Amino acid sequence: MHDDETPPRTLTRTLGTAAPAASRVEVPAQGTGPAPWVFRLVAVGLVLAALNLRPAITSLGALLVEVRDGLHMSGSVAGVLTSVPPLCFAVFGVMAPRLARRFGPGAVVCAGMVAITAGLVIRPLVGGTAGFLAASALALMGIAVSNVLMPVIVKRWFPDRVGSMTGLYSMALALGTSLAAAVTVPMTEAMGGSWKAGLGVWAALAAVAILPWIPLVRDRVGDTGQSAAHRPKVPALRITRSRTAWALACFFGLQATAAYITMGWMPQIFRDAGVSAGTAGVLLALTMAMGVPLAFVIPRVAARMRNQGPIVVLLGACGLIGYAGLYLAPSGGAWVWALLLGISNCAFPLALTMIGMRSRSGAGVVRLSAFAQSTGYLISIPGPLLVGVLYQHSGGWGLPIALMAALMVPQMVAGILAGRDRTIEDEC
């Protein structure tokens, strides 16, 4: 694939026969290709959507103590709350392919942004734990379906620029993650110290992300240029028969496990080694910030390679060295270990890139994205909990770090298998 290639020519696509001009996207007839403004609109929509796929989670993490006290949550309920995101991603992500076939991916992403906005507006206003959990689940539902459909949008509108566009929205996703983690507390203090205001302010960013998707709501055209109603039926892919799909799901799940363990436990590892709380927070911010530039670079490089296995190995090696450093000298080389683990966590944009490359059609990418992400997030749920159990029963970080390093090995194996130059259509 070459990032500098022009988009392929497509058939005419008029979104809605009676829609007003402001709600209609017209793609010129074959021979001219879509109008440039359409691609710019989709690109802006991708970036704004990606910016909103993590603040609902990381802003809550920054204010979890205040939320617990304000809603009188028990420790066990708060623990469940931190485990809800991957569970919601797995459960609700499965719905994305059916919704995309019925309403079109643009409409579903638009609805996802609406759900995120509504959830972020409602949850600071409710007065009880049940309502807070329900509003959080609404926002997470929007995040889950949008997670799955981001690679689909890229494959559909930018089939010859999968690497660069995946890099663009991956970078925006990493930026949104880091931004919410870094500024939620200062913003809350600036607004009088109310955790409700600190959480609710992120609804404004989500509301802005709705706008570019409105003209794409009525876009229900598939790869053939035909509307969903007139598109011929094709046999459904039996995604579970594909070894590549399973490898990609395992790779996605194991890298998510490593990321959640890092975000949840790395500051505590440094603090137990004698690093101050402030410095431990900065080290975590460094780890997360590495995803901003590398999330743009790695997909571009990966898309130009026939086999992404070497990148998988390089990222895994950085993770193994980082874990070895945490075990042997956690405070002495803290900045180096944080940097290496930040590089290792960039397996996430690599996984997204491979999802877009392992199918020949948009429909295949929808199925693969839903399967790999839903299965992967289910795989990731036990990891952070198991690390906590090992830490509590062993009284130190030796066993938990050994587990983290051990999980990196199957992650590398699964990534090598998923990175082979083949598509799921060859195996289903």
Side-chain angles (χ1 to χ4, degrees), residues 35-241:
W37 71 267
V38 179
F39 290 104
R40 288 194 290 269
L41 182 68
V42 176
V44 170
L46 281 170
V47 170
L48 288 176
L51 282 172
N52 285 280
L53 294 183
R54 293 299 179 271
I57 302 168
T58 50
S59 62
L60 176 59
L63 296 173
L64 186 58
V65 174
E66 290 78 6
V67 173
R68 278 187 60 184
D69 294 341
L71 295 178
H72 307 292
M73 281 186 188
S74 66
S76 58
V77 172
V80 169
L81 186 60
T82 61
S83 303
V84 163
L87 179 61
C88 286
F89 293 165
V91 172
F92 295 131
V94 176
M95 301 162 49
R98 179 172 296 181
L99 292 173
R101 287 194 300 270
R102 176 66 180 84
F103 301 104
V108 177
V109 173
C110 185
M113 295 300 108
V114 172
I116 295 170
T117 304
L120 292 178
V121 168
I122 294 170
R123 74 179 182 180
L125 302 178
V126 297
T129 299
F132 189 90
L133 289 171
S136 296
L138 177 61
L140 291 169
M141 181 190 304
I143 295 172
V145 295
S146 300
N147 271 337
V148 170
L149 293 179
M150 289 292 102
V152 178
I153 298 290
V154 169
K155 181 74 170 182
R156 177 171 179 176
W157 287 97
F158 307 96
D160 296 301
R161 286 179 281 173
V162 170
S164 60
M165 295 308 299
T166 301
L168 183 64
Y169 85 74
S170 297
M171 183 174 66
L173 194 153
L175 180 61
T177 304
S178 303
L179 189 65
V183 308
T184 295
V185 172
M187 249 188 342
T188 301
E189 293 173 351
M191 291 185 292
S194 169
W195 63 265
K196 295 184 177 182
L199 292 182
V201 70
W202 294 103
L205 181 62
V208 173
I210 298 171
L211 302 178
W213 294 100
I214 293 175
L216 300 169
V217 162
R218 302 189 60 157
D219 176 15
R220 302 184 188 179
V221 181
D223 299 328
T224 64
Q226 297 172 290
S227 67
H230 297 90
R231 193 161 56 243
K233 300 292 183 181
V234 294
L237 288 171
R238 296 186 178 181
I239 198 78
T240 54
R241 291 187 176 183

Side-chain angles (χ1 to χ4, degrees), residues 393-414:
H393 285 80
S394 67
W397 285 106
L399 282 178
I401 291 174
L403 172 66
M404 299 177 206
L407 290 175
M408 190 59 64
V409 177
Q411 176 181 321
M412 293 167 68
V413 173

